[in-house]
Amino acid sequence: MARAERAAAADRLLSLSGLFAVYKPKGPTSAAVLNRLKERLLAEAGVQANVSKRRKQILKIGHGGTLDSAATGVLVVGIGKGTKMLSTILAGSKKYTAIGRLGKATDTLDATGKVTEEKPYDKITKGDLESVLQKFTGDIMQVPPLYSALKKDGERLSSLMKRGEAVEAKPARPVRVYSLSLQHFQPPLFTLDVECGGGFYVRSLVSDIGKELSTCASVQELTRTKQGPFTLEEHALYEDKWTIDEIARSLEHCMSLLPGEPPHKKLKTEDPGEAAVSCE
């Protein structure tokens, strides 16, 4: 790439500003996905992050809520001045499709953890499960999982747990569930669609549903299908489209959606600072 072309590409990259969405695959952390995106954009613009601190600092980029490593789906990204808009996305509604498994509990509340308990589930009917869901709709109290992005003394609880350190559960806090429905039931698996507010953990929901049914349960698969106005199907850019031009087009489309997004009331949590990191 010629020097003039590199300069033009760099200027175009640094002019990008707003919110857009990318697809987070299963495996990497949300932070790793963001770093990969940033590397791709800097490389396309001919900017080497390790030798150009000024360029690296000017390219502001962040995401609007952590998805678990094992989860997939919409990851909202803020670039430029858009990073200041991420708090609004965090407080807004999110939609998930979750596959839960009855009869097995794990320390992480999902399939990545160690099995801590097994209980029978053969007498549970579809009607039993649908009846229980009503108890988890609306404004409810929820205890966040120990393996989470919430922090203690500036460090994530999940990091402390992985090191084997003793971690006390965070107190129950108010969360909001706008809708919750059972899509499929084929024991031991069941599929839920849930729309919730900020600070909500689907893993805790599935675990609590298991307890309410006098058994146990954990998440097998989790996909975030919508965050704010951005949907997985319509707006999430897959890695092959992580280019300056594609993101510029996506920003134009995505930013046009924001004015019509109905506001959702932000609920207070035990620690206001936690809302910025408390997502699946």
Side-chain angles (χ1 to χ4, degrees), residues 14-30:
L14 298 178
S15 71
L16 298 179
S17 185
L19 299 177
F20 63 102
V22 299
Y23 172 76
K24 182 207 164 298
K26 188 174 184 177
T29 64
S30 298

Side-chain angles (χ1 to χ4, degrees), residues 6 9 24 59 69 77-78 93 109 119 124 134 146 148-149 155 162 165 170 184 187 197 200 205 213-214 243 248:
R6 287 200 302 270
K24 182 207 164 298
L59 181 59
S69 297
V77 176
S93 70
L109 308 187
K119 285 187 174 183
I124 296 172
Q134 297 175 16
L146 290 176
S148 70
E155 192 164 4
K162 289 175 183 176
E165 297 187 22
K170 292 282 186 178
H184 302 287
F200 184 85
L205 168 69
L213 290 167
S214 298
T243 67

Side-chain angles (χ1 to χ4, degrees), residues 146-162:
L146 290 176
Y147 279 88
S148 70
L150 298 183
K151 294 183 178 181
K152 176 186 178 184
D153 299 328
E155 192 164 4
R156 291 189 175 194
L157 297 186
S158 57
S159 299
L160 297 173
M161 290 289 291
K162 289 175 183 176

Side-chain angles (χ1 to χ4, degrees), residues 41-253:
L41 293 176
L42 289 172
E44 183 186 349
V47 179
Q48 296 182 26
N50 60 338
V51 298
S52 181
K53 292 183 179 180
R54 180 174 174 272
R55 290 292 192 189
K56 187 177 181 181
Q57 291 168 348
I58 290 176
L59 181 59
K60 295 181 179 179
I61 194 168
H63 66 72
T66 302
L67 265 176
D68 291 335
S69 297
T72 65
V74 176
L75 187 67
V76 175
V77 176
I79 191 168
K81 294 181 180 179
T83 55
K84 296 180 180 180
M85 305 169 67
L86 290 172
S87 59
T88 302
I89 293 295
L90 282 159
S93 70
K94 307 165 185 65
K95 287 185 178 180
Y96 296 90
T97 296
I99 299 177
R101 181 185 182 91
L102 293 169
K104 283 190 178 183
T106 69
D107 55 0
T108 60
L109 308 187
D110 65 13
T112 66
K114 296 178 182 179
V115 176
T116 57
E117 187 177 22
E118 293 190 53
K119 285 187 174 183
Y121 57 84
D122 52 298
K123 293 184 179 180
I124 296 172
T125 67
K126 182 179 180 182
D128 293 333
L129 191 47
E130 288 177 328
S131 179
V132 161
L133 296 187
Q134 297 175 16
K135 298 181 180 181
F136 295 98
T137 305
D139 293 333
I140 62 173
M141 298 297 289
Q142 185 186 70
V143 177
L146 290 176
Y147 279 88
S148 70
L150 298 183
K151 294 183 178 181
K152 176 186 178 184
D153 299 328
E155 192 164 4
R156 291 189 175 194
L157 297 186
S158 57
S159 299
L160 297 173
M161 290 289 291
K162 289 175 183 176
R163 290 207 303 266
E165 297 187 22
V167 177
E168 291 185 9
K170 292 282 186 178
R173 59 191 192 171
V175 292
R176 180 166 294 172
V177 180
Y178 298 103
S179 64
L180 178 60
S181 60
L182 178 66
Q183 299 301 310
H184 302 287
F185 182 58
Q186 188 173 0
L189 302 180
F190 60 97
T191 303
L192 301 174
D193 277 351
V194 55
E195 181 176 6
C196 55
F200 184 85
Y201 281 89
V202 179
R203 285 178 291 138
S204 291
L205 168 69
V206 170
S207 177
D208 291 343
I209 287 172
K211 293 173 183 176
E212 193 69 30
L213 290 167
S214 298
T215 182
C216 50
S218 53
V219 170
Q220 286 294 110
E221 294 183 23
L222 181 65
T223 300
R224 185 155 65 195
T225 57
K226 186 178 181 182
Q227 185 172 10
F230 309 134
T231 67
L232 175 60
E233 186 176 343
E234 294 181 45
H235 308 112
L237 294 178
Y238 285 75
E239 190 168 349
D240 63 340
K241 292 192 175 182
W242 289 0
T243 67
I244 295 172
D245 285 344
E246 288 286 355
I247 289 173
R249 280 192 286 270
S250 184
L251 282 169
E252 185 176 354
H253 177 51

